[in-house]
Amino acid sequence: MTTTAAALFDVDGTLLDTTYFHTLSWWEALRQHDRTIPAARVHRAVGMGADQLLDHLLGEDRDHDADEAITAAHDALYARHWPAIEPLPDAAGLLRACAERGWRIVLASSASQRELTVLRRALDADDVIAAATTADDVAATKPAPDLVRAALDRAGAEPGHAVFVGDTVWDVAAAGRAHVPCVAVESGGFAAQELLGCGAAEIHRDSAELLESLDGSLLARPPA
């Protein structure tokens, strides 16, 4: 019986250079609703979905009445940056190289379907992307493992036959809770020590460096 091997890729900050667009959009959305949070704190929460991010920044015991409006403000502000979104170095080449080695490529995203369409268009690698997740596929976003598990389901793969690629400590935590090893990149602004400290199996500067190092990576070849 053939076993499916899946390479699961986070999108924002891992394949596309969007982390700081999200940071600015959340910072401004919070400010519009009289929640002043230092941008550095906001940046370090990016990688969570809106459900987790607002709890992390504002506390779980707060009044949640403004959550929907804050999230809508972020989405509107972020959409202004869509024309400027660019892939990170060799991101599409990395996906194609992994596909050539026998990995089934799945995008593990908590973006809306509309946003994911924009991201996939910017990435321009649909020829090798087998499937993708969206916010509609999970009850809780990273660092909960739901998104990784949903991506595994889309791939038809078991945790022991998958690798997750991400850029934040939230990615590493979610992959670990789903029992999937995580290859981490520093392109989202988290340092190597932080990513390793959360359990990342290996670290690369960005997608281009991972592509260059593929032969020595967990992505070198699918498990037998």
Side-chain angles (χ1 to χ4, degrees):
M1 184 176 71
T2 302
T3 302
T4 299
L8 315 176
F9 284 85
D10 171 63
V11 179
D12 288 300
T14 300
L15 298 173
L16 292 163
D17 196 7
T18 56
T19 296
Y20 293 97
F21 293 154
H22 277 299
T23 299
L24 290 171
S25 299
W26 279 118
W27 176 82
E28 177 60 23
L30 287 159
R31 199 169 66 93
Q32 286 179 5
H33 290 83
D34 300 318
R35 276 78 166 176
T36 302
I37 305 292
R41 278 196 63 210
V42 176
H43 163 250
R44 295 182 65 78
V46 169
M48 297 177 168
D51 58 329
Q52 306 271 18
L53 180 144
L54 292 176
D55 282 351
H56 182 75
L57 291 176
L58 302 175
E60 295 182 22
D61 297 331
R62 72 190 185 284
D63 181 349
H64 290 256
D65 288 349
D67 285 11
E68 188 173 338
I70 294 171
T71 301
H74 160 269
D75 294 349
L77 290 160
Y78 179 62
R80 296 179 184 177
H81 296 289
W82 285 357
I85 291 175
E86 294 283 347
L88 284 155
D90 284 337
L94 173 62
L95 298 187
R96 292 191 175 99
C98 289
E100 287 171 4
R101 290 169 186 243
W103 295 97
R104 185 172 174 82
I105 307 301
V106 178
L107 302 184
S109 173
S110 57
S112 67
Q113 183 59 61
R114 180 167 172 253
E115 182 183 327
L116 184 61
T117 298
V118 172
L119 298 175
R120 290 181 68 157
R121 186 180 303 122
L123 184 57
D124 193 24
D126 273 357
D127 53 301
V128 294
I129 296 170
T133 66
T134 69
D136 293 335
D137 296 316
V138 294
T141 56
K142 294 174 288 187
D146 303 32
L147 190 68
V148 183
R149 290 173 179 161
L152 286 170
D153 288 344
R154 289 293 175 88
E158 296 297 323
H161 289 86
V163 174
F164 188 87
V165 184
D167 67 294
T168 70
V169 294
W170 318 118
D171 290 321
V172 179
R177 290 170 183 173
H179 307 293
V180 176
C182 185
V183 171
V185 288
E186 296 178 90
S187 45
F190 281 88
Q193 282 187 320
E194 296 175 284
L195 296 164
L196 287 169
C198 288
E202 60 187 70
I203 306 292
H204 302 271
R205 185 183 64 241
D206 55 21
S207 46
E209 184 176 279
L210 175 53
L211 176 58
E212 291 172 5
S213 307
L214 211 53
D215 286 337
S217 165
L218 288 178
L219 290 165
R221 61 189 60 82

